[in-house]
């Protein structure tokens, strides 16, 4: 089966572009299952029920999140009531939402785990130890996808090797810049350090570059605003043998 994982969808611009680009891309590439990181999908950052519904309506099957998941209070009940949106599993046990889910497609069950990094990130439980506890909870499903929402490339690579042969794919999110290291590891796990983002290309991680320059140059606070202009949709296509859960191939894409 072909699984498409999409990097952080940023703001209204990213959402609108996804709606335009995703349906035809799925058809073109024969995509069976789509997963997207939605932690920045709301206008003004975070995720809301409205922005999440937009991602689902665009053809996303499961939404993962990250450090901005709890920015908007209106999403808390939504996180608790849906089985197709997850938040980092290594956040507090009693926090809204779940850290993993299993989607039953009849002939195949797909497990999705979301984890947050702890290097240069907000404090959270250890992601390596957390994933060890989550894997047995997935009911033995073969196809398992892990979104590791993390800053440090070393932490992401380490988790990729740690999970090699235990899951179908490990992909990084959060840095919004696609890395060129997509590969199937020796044990049959597909890996990429970061999927990249979906949103305005001429931007600093989705934000107007002028604002980012001012913040870096002066150290003064400036309100973030999503950039405008040509957007792209970045992610990875994982071809997975659904009988074994092993990845057969991986292709990183950036669609304009
Ligand atoms: Fe993000
Ligand atoms: Fe993030």
């Amino acid at each position: 089966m072909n699984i498409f994982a999409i990097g952080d969808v940023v703001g209204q611009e990213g959402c609108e572009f996804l709606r335009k680009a995703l349906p035809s891309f799925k058809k073109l590439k024969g995509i069976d299952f789509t997963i997207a990181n939605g932690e920045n999908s709301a206008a003004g950052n975070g995720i809301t029920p409205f922005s999440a519904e937009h991602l689902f309506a665009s053809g996303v099957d499961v939404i993962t999140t990250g450090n901005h998941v709890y920015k908007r209070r209106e999403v808390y009940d939504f996180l608790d009531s849906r089985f197709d949106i997850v938040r980092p599993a290594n956040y507090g046990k009693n926090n809204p939402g779940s850290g993993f889910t299993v989607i039953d497609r009849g002939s195949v069950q797909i497990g999705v785990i979301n984890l947050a990094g702890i290097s240069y990130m907000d404090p959270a439980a250890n992601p390596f130890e957390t994933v060890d506890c989550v894997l047995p909870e997935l009911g033995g499903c073969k196809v398992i996808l892990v979104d590791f929402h993390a800053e440090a490339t070393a932490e992401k690579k380490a988790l990729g090797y740690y999970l090699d042969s235990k899951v179908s794919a490990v992909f990084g999110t959060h840095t919004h810049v696609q890395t060129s290291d997509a590969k199937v590891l020796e044990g049959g796990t597909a890996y990429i350090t970061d999927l990249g983002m979906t949103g305005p290309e001429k931007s600093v991680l989705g934000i107007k570059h002028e604002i980012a320059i001012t913040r870096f140059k002066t150290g003064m606070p400036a309100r973030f605003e999503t950039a405008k202009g040509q957007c792209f949709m970045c992610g990875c296509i994982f071809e997975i043998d659904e009988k074994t859960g092993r990845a057969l191939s991986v292709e990183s894409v950036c669609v304009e």
Side-chain angles (χ1 to χ4, degrees):
M1 69 184 304
N2 291 324
I3 292 170
F4 185 34
I6 303 169
D8 306 39
V9 181
V10 180
Q12 206 182 330
E13 286 74 9
C15 282
E16 277 166 17
F17 185 73
L18 188 79
R19 173 74 63 92
K20 239 188 343 191
L22 183 57
S24 53
F25 183 77
K26 280 171 68 173
K27 222 177 257 171
L28 179 74
K29 294 287 191 177
I31 302 297
D32 304 296
F33 188 81
T34 304
I35 175 167
N37 189 296
E39 70 143 12
N40 311 118
S41 56
N45 211 356
I47 182 166
T48 59
F50 181 79
S51 71
E53 293 288 12
H54 182 103
L55 300 189
F56 290 133
S58 304
V60 171
D61 296 298
V62 169
I63 298 173
T64 54
T65 57
N67 54 308
H68 292 301
V69 64
Y70 297 130
K71 206 152 207 177
R72 311 287 285 265
R73 286 187 155 271
E74 61 263 49
V75 84
Y76 294 4
D77 287 344
F78 190 83
L79 289 169
D80 276 331
S81 66
R82 300 281 302 226
F83 62 89
D84 46 9
I85 177 165
V86 289
R87 49 80 168 175
N90 49 332
Y91 285 178
K93 242 198 220 113
N94 298 319
N95 290 15
S98 170
F100 64 91
T101 188
V102 176
I103 305 297
D104 192 350
R105 280 287 177 87
S107 59
V108 59
Q109 284 75 44
I110 302 156
V112 177
I113 305 172
N114 198 181
L115 294 165
I118 51 174
S119 297
Y120 313 110
M121 300 281 284
D122 293 333
N126 186 291
F128 292 74
E129 289 179 2
T130 301
V131 79
D132 281 344
C133 298
V134 171
L135 284 173
E137 301 277 310
L138 297 181
C141 68
K142 289 271 186 276
V143 180
I144 302 172
L145 312 171
V146 178
D147 176 351
F148 192 27
H149 195 80
E151 182 76 40
T153 50
E155 193 180 11
K156 294 186 194 186
K157 289 221 86 119
L159 190 82
Y161 287 117
Y162 184 65
L163 293 177
D164 186 21
S165 82
K166 296 181 194 140
V167 304
S168 309
V170 177
F171 43 90
T173 56
H174 177 69
T175 69
H176 293 205
V177 177
Q178 188 175 80
T179 54
S180 62
D181 59 343
K183 194 181 162 76
V184 178
L185 305 177
E186 279 170 11
T189 297
Y191 173 82
I192 186 167
T193 297
D194 207 289
L195 294 174
M197 61 167 260
T198 296
E201 205 171 339
K202 186 179 178 186
S203 70
V204 176
L205 316 187
I207 303 303
K208 276 188 179 160
H209 68 278
E210 297 91 338
I211 298 173
I213 291 170
T214 302
R215 283 189 43 145
F216 280 114
K217 191 173 175 192
T218 66
M220 296 296 288
R223 207 185 156 80
F224 280 148
E225 242 178 88
T226 309
K228 304 262 182 267
Q230 175 67 50
C231 288
F232 58 2
M233 172 177 74
C234 297
C236 256
I237 301 170
F238 304 109
E239 187 193 352
I240 311 285
D241 178 342
E242 54 204 72
K243 300 241 155 34
T244 61
R246 286 174 76 99
L248 303 171
S249 70
V250 53
E251 180 194 356
S252 56
V253 292
C254 270
V255 185
E256 284 201 339

